[in-house]
Amino acid sequence: MSKTLRLTPFERCMMFEHCAAYPCYCFIRLHFDGRLDRSSLTIAMHAALQHHPLLRAIIKTGWGKRWSFPDDTEPSIIWREGTTGGPLPPAADIDLFREPGLKTFVVRDNTKTELTLQFHHACCDGNGIARFIEDVMVNYARVCENGPGCDHPPTVDVSSLATRGAYGLRFWSTLKILPGQLVGLLGAIQFWGRKPKSVIAHQARSRDQSSPSPYPSLAAFRFDKANTLALRKAAIEQNVSLNELLIRDFFLALWKWQQDHDQYNDQHWIRLMIPIDMRNKSYRSLPAMNQVSSIFLDRRGSDRTDRDQLLRSIRDEMAVIRKFQLRYTFLFFINALHRIPTALRKSVQRDECKTSAIFSCVRKALWRDSLPRQDGFVRVGDTTIVDIDGLAPIRPHNCLTMLTVKYAHRLKLNLHYDADFVTPAQADELMHLFVSNLNETAHPSDP
């Protein structure tokens, strides 16, 4: 009899969010110089799936929904010979009650390959995706070097995932952080008292209405090494993290973009949802899963008048979040709702604007030293990974999601936009505003 696991409250939250109108999918696309070998990639992915059980699991119903783990799952890979450099492949439907939450698409031409992976967010978060990709690439390199019989990461006992929803907290450690959650309670009161507005006014689709527009839709920009380093130096000089700097300049870009499209009101709240990684130091041994929480930053348009003060306020708020460990507040709230019949579902599916946009920062991609590099770009077999795209899901009333990823000493900005309400030209305009703000931050004009 195969082992099963209960869904965590956070995984249930993702399942409640998922619908035809707003599928809860994450995407990553790797661009290669060179042609990936079909047999080697299939072997590499099959081996990686043994180490990442939730990516080969399906949900069984009965006495509650539970993850079930088939004894052997072949990776779903769709191959196509054609022109690279185009838009992302259209998202495929994933029904976790009948199939695993991972689909893979490969496009090859004579000299290049694009590898796109689509994940159901109930199975995995952004940093879990990064870990899975690293395993696939390491496996692929081993197969190319040693053949299909080479060693792969060991299979993970699914029983070890039973405590994944505890986020490393035990009884005494939970007691230690509870006093700080009183600060989180005050923040929750503010959260419910403020009514954020969508960045662009629109009526969200009904849950069973699929978007007729291309999905997913991506606008992207990559900084070179010099400008990425300049941004890091600017953050150090202003005593903030690079992410805090990015968040400030994204707020400013949103407000200017709203002005340009007659959507701006200096008294409206813009709320950014920012996913926070909950992995501890033992991360390397953890398979792909949802080990993430979220924090929320609210700012009014009137805050745009003083760039420096806006940055200081973001830095100070993030410092309070770290000091009082408020990354747990959102998880405690979800767990509390989960204990009340139907409360979590009703909260998740309520038709209202909960966040204006999502801003997600993924750690460095492909950091493993075992893969050879040239100028920071990873060599895998006889191919080189030259670029990476990543997209987080879009939610109702939230038609913009920004995801940043660092690869090969270069910062990549990925804007996932809802093409029903934002045109490609408008998405490019917003990206241009964001990049312009960051260039001004990295290279301030002389007084």
Side-chain angles (χ1 to χ4, degrees):
M1 182 176 179
S2 62
K3 296 178 181 178
T4 62
L5 289 175
R6 291 184 181 275
L7 274 69
T8 67
F10 192 90
E11 291 164 356
R12 289 179 179 275
C13 186
M14 296 298 100
M15 291 300 295
F16 290 147
E17 282 195 346
H18 180 77
C19 60
Y22 296 95
C24 209
Y25 300 146
C26 303
F27 304 85
I28 186 168
R29 177 169 62 177
L30 280 69
H31 302 256
F32 294 81
D33 271 347
R35 285 170 56 88
L36 288 176
D37 178 72
R38 183 168 186 161
S39 175
S40 298
L41 181 64
T42 302
I43 293 169
M45 288 199 65
H46 184 274
L49 286 171
Q50 307 314 304
H51 190 68
H52 299 274
L54 287 175
L55 295 180
R56 55 183 173 86
I58 59 176
I59 296 176
K60 294 292 188 181
T61 57
W63 291 100
K65 296 182 178 67
R66 302 181 70 93
W67 292 111
S68 175
F69 303 88
D71 293 332
D72 196 21
T73 302
E74 292 299 322
S76 171
I77 308 177
I78 298 173
W79 291 81
R80 180 170 66 84
E81 298 290 331
T83 304
T84 60
L88 283 155
D93 291 335
I94 296 178
D95 182 357
L96 285 177
F97 296 97
R98 299 197 301 183
E99 60 185 335
L102 169 63
K103 291 189 179 295
T104 305
F105 309 87
V106 183
V107 179
R108 297 186 301 185
D109 60 23
N110 292 332
T111 60
K112 300 181 184 300
T113 305
E114 290 175 351
L115 171 65
T116 302
L117 294 97
Q118 174 186 335
F119 299 81
H120 197 297
H121 201 5
C123 307
C124 197
D125 60 21
N127 283 316
I129 290 171
R131 172 61 194 272
F132 177 74
I133 291 295
E134 288 161 359
D135 281 346
V136 171
M137 292 297 99
V138 169
N139 289 347
Y140 183 88
R142 287 172 177 166
V143 172
C144 290
E145 183 177 354
N146 303 315
C150 67
D151 293 334
H152 296 290
T155 299
V156 170
D157 182 356
V158 297
S159 299
S160 65
L161 303 179
T163 60
R164 68 196 181 285
Y167 303 96
L169 288 178
R170 299 181 184 274
F171 178 75
W172 291 110
S173 55
T174 303
L175 287 181
K176 287 181 181 179
I177 69 172
L178 284 180
Q181 298 307 302
L182 294 176
V183 178
L185 180 60
L186 294 175
I189 294 172
Q190 283 187 332
F191 179 92
W192 293 111
R194 296 168 179 170
K195 298 299 180 185
K197 297 291 185 180
S198 300
V199 174
I200 188 166
H202 68 280
Q203 178 61 51
R205 293 181 292 273
S206 62
R207 288 181 55 83
D208 59 354
Q209 177 188 353
S210 299
S211 170
S213 303
Y215 181 87
S217 296
L218 168 68
F221 182 88
R222 184 174 69 176
F223 285 96
D224 60 22
K225 285 174 61 176
N227 282 308
T228 300
L229 180 59
L231 281 169
R232 290 184 178 279
K233 288 182 176 179
I236 293 171
E237 289 171 358
Q238 298 188 61
N239 193 31
V240 298
S241 71
L242 177 58
N243 287 345
E244 289 163 355
L245 205 63
L246 293 170
I247 290 167
R248 188 276 305 269
D249 284 359
F250 189 58
F251 266 122
L252 293 173
L254 287 174
W255 287 319
K256 179 63 170 65
W257 187 77
Q258 284 186 309
Q259 269 193 327
D260 293 344
H261 295 282
D262 298 322
Q263 299 289 317
Y264 175 76
N265 185 313
D266 64 3
Q267 294 305 305
H268 284 174
W269 290 105
I270 291 293
R271 174 172 292 161
L272 289 190
M273 178 180 182
I274 303 173
I276 299 292
D277 187 21
M278 300 297 289
R279 288 165 175 79
N280 56 25
K281 293 180 180 179
S282 64
Y283 168 67
R284 292 191 179 191
S285 66
L286 291 177
M289 64 179 74
N290 260 312
Q291 288 287 110
V292 69
S293 183
S294 291
I295 61 170
F296 303 86
L297 298 182
D298 296 347
R299 294 296 184 275
R300 280 196 175 110
S302 54
D303 294 319
R304 69 194 288 257
T305 57
D306 190 332
R307 290 169 56 96
D308 293 337
Q309 175 55 34
L310 176 60
L311 182 58
R312 286 192 295 270
S313 73
I314 293 170
R315 178 197 62 194
D316 293 346
E317 188 168 351
M318 296 296 280
V320 170
I321 289 168
R322 288 190 293 270
K323 178 179 179 180
F324 294 100
Q325 301 194 61
L326 302 185
R327 59 188 180 138
Y328 289 100
T329 303
F330 181 61
L331 297 173
F332 287 160
F333 175 71
I334 288 176
N335 278 275
L337 287 179
H338 175 60
R339 295 177 183 275
I340 305 172
T342 74
L344 183 57
R345 179 193 294 270
K346 289 179 179 178
S347 177
V348 168
Q349 297 180 355
R350 187 176 296 120
D351 185 20
E352 63 181 10
C353 180
K354 301 179 182 70
T355 60
S356 309
I358 300 172
F359 193 98
S360 184
C361 304
V362 176
R363 64 177 179 82
K364 293 180 182 178
L366 297 169
W367 50 265
R368 293 195 179 184
D369 293 334
S370 60
L371 294 171
R373 300 168 188 273
Q374 182 175 2
D375 190 28
F377 295 103
V378 172
R379 290 281 300 169
V380 184
D382 58 357
T383 69
T384 301
I385 302 174
V386 295
D387 199 4
I388 298 177
D389 302 315
L391 288 84
I394 291 172
R395 314 313 315 139
H397 301 281
N398 152 225
C399 51
L400 299 168
T401 296
M402 177 63 69
L403 184 145
T404 70
V405 61
K406 305 175 193 72
Y407 171 62
H409 314 297
R410 294 155 175 87
L411 175 67
K412 183 70 175 290
L413 310 177
N414 301 276
L415 178 66
H416 186 189
Y417 63 95
D418 192 329
D420 276 5
F421 310 112
V422 178
T423 67
Q426 289 174 329
D428 289 340
E429 289 171 20
L430 177 57
M431 181 62 78
H432 175 74
L433 290 169
F434 188 26
V435 171
S436 297
N437 285 342
L438 290 171
N439 281 328
E440 181 180 345
T441 296
H443 307 286
S445 302
D446 293 333

